[in-house]
Amino acid sequence: MKKIDTHCIDCFEYMKSIPDNSIPLIVTDPPYGINFSGQTSNTSWDNISDYSDFLIKFLTETKRILKDNGTMWMCCARTMIPTVFHAIEKVGLRCNLENWLTYARQKGRGSSHKLKSQAEEILHITKSDKWVFNKVEYLREVVAPYIKDGKPRGWFLDQNTGQRVRWSGVGNVLAFTSPTFNSKFEKQIHSTQKPVLLNVELVVLSSNVGDTVFDPFMGSGSCAVACKLTDRKFIGCESDKDMYDKATYWINHINYSEAENYIASRLKSESLF
């Protein structure tokens, strides 16, 4: 198998070829079923007539291909949580609430008659009560810089940003810089693109070097970049040809040396590289 193995195909078609109990980790950002429309050539990708049926179909295949101690990190919309939980229960998977993550975006949507949406949920889904979980720490800004005997207590100055920071275990609310259209390292090519740093964190938390990570809804390819940076194998599907072409170009042309230095400066774990 190629280390980075991408396919311009509907994931349901491709998943038929994946053997039972063979995938250690799935990291994916599927359609949310909220009729979201963004800057892609196919603007109807999130318009799903029966979202519950879609999820049950997807999660049934997920359960089949996941290893018994495998994990899926799945993004979803907060407003669709009841539907998502119902589908998870119906299929017979576990949603481990203690590992439920919230990704806090800087950008939000819609605030005329409601609170601006700046949170997306990432659920920790498994087949059993056993799964891979590695220790990961990330560089976190210190709000209360305590001092003892005139010296920083547990924090230091980040030489790149000048911020007061400390190494901290991963919490259940994550705030990373979002991809932008004018970024040199992480140019936004998909409307719902997640940061590489976020994908790296999920990959390292729940897999080991050399493991295979599957993303059925590849989008921008940020999970593929994360796998290449952390020495994991990657399989990805993207049905939209225009998005697939943009994603594969980015995967093949990113400056990986620069990206690896950046990731290593923000995260640390025995399973990182």
Side-chain angles (χ1 to χ4, degrees):
M1 181 196 301
K2 293 184 297 183
K3 193 167 185 179
I4 301 296
D5 188 16
T6 62
H7 303 269
C8 186
I9 189 174
D10 181 274
C11 69
F12 291 109
E13 284 299 312
Y14 184 81
M15 289 169 81
K16 293 176 183 177
S17 68
I18 300 178
D20 296 358
N21 304 307
S22 62
I23 300 294
L25 176 61
I26 297 173
V27 177
T28 194
D29 186 9
Y32 284 5
I34 58 175
N35 297 325
F36 176 73
S37 167
Q39 299 87 1
T40 60
S41 57
N42 177 8
T43 58
S44 63
W45 56 269
D46 195 49
N47 186 2
I48 299 173
S49 57
D50 193 325
Y51 192 58
S52 179
D53 280 357
F54 166 82
L55 284 174
I56 290 170
K57 180 182 178 182
F58 170 61
L59 292 172
T60 298
E61 278 297 279
T62 296
K63 184 180 180 182
R64 181 185 67 79
I65 66 176
L66 263 185
K67 287 188 172 183
D68 289 339
N69 67 339
T71 292
M72 175 165 70
W73 290 103
M74 186 181 83
C75 300
C76 64
R78 179 173 293 186
T79 54
M80 300 303 288
I81 283 293
T83 304
V84 175
F85 278 11
H86 170 75
I88 292 171
E89 183 177 6
K90 187 174 180 63
V91 168
L93 288 166
R94 293 172 54 104
C95 184
N96 304 293
L97 299 182
E98 69 272 24
N99 292 328
W100 178 350
L101 289 170
T102 295
Y103 165 49
R105 302 189 313 264
Q106 295 106 325
K107 297 180 289 185
R109 296 189 287 267
S111 59
S112 298
H113 306 288
K114 59 183 179 181
L115 295 176
K116 182 176 286 189
S117 171
Q118 291 183 282
E120 294 181 50
E121 311 310 321
I122 308 175
L123 302 181
H124 182 251
I125 300 169
T126 60
K127 291 173 71 170
S128 71
D129 61 355
K130 294 180 174 60
W131 55 78
V132 172
F133 206 83
N134 298 309
K135 181 181 179 182
V136 179
E137 294 184 326
Y138 74 111
L139 212 55
R140 182 176 181 180
E141 184 179 4
V142 173
V143 178
Y146 297 113
I147 293 177
K148 183 177 182 180
D149 299 328
K151 298 180 180 179
R153 186 179 177 185
W155 59 271
F156 57 94
L157 286 178
D158 187 329
Q159 297 302 310
N160 295 319
T161 66
Q163 290 180 323
R164 293 167 295 206
V165 295
R166 68 180 176 90
W167 289 105
S168 173
V170 175
N172 56 11
V173 178
L174 303 175
F176 293 131
T177 302
S178 301
T180 58
F181 291 108
N182 60 357
S183 171
K184 292 182 179 179
F185 162 61
E186 197 165 3
K187 184 178 178 64
Q188 184 177 1
I189 58 177
H190 192 287
S191 305
T192 63
Q193 186 171 332
K194 301 301 184 291
V196 168
L197 192 59
L198 172 59
N199 279 276
V200 167
E201 193 165 280
L202 299 178
V203 166
V204 174
L205 274 172
S206 299
S207 71
N208 297 312
V209 170
D211 279 351
T212 296
V213 181
F214 178 46
D215 184 353
F217 305 94
M218 190 176 76
S220 68
S222 54
C223 186
V225 172
C227 288
K228 197 164 182 177
L229 285 168
T230 57
D231 201 18
R232 272 74 169 169
K233 299 183 182 73
F234 175 82
I235 304 172
C237 300
E238 174 54 49
S239 60
D240 183 89
K241 181 63 165 59
D242 179 61
M243 182 52 56
Y244 176 81
D245 289 343
K246 291 177 180 176
T248 52
Y249 181 86
W250 183 43
I251 293 167
N252 291 327
H253 291 85
I254 188 174
N255 185 330
Y256 280 97
S257 295
E258 181 181 312
E260 186 173 306
N261 289 336
Y262 172 70
I263 296 298
S265 72
R266 311 309 294 177
L267 296 177
K268 65 178 180 179
S269 168
E270 292 181 358
S271 299
L272 186 51
F273 299 117

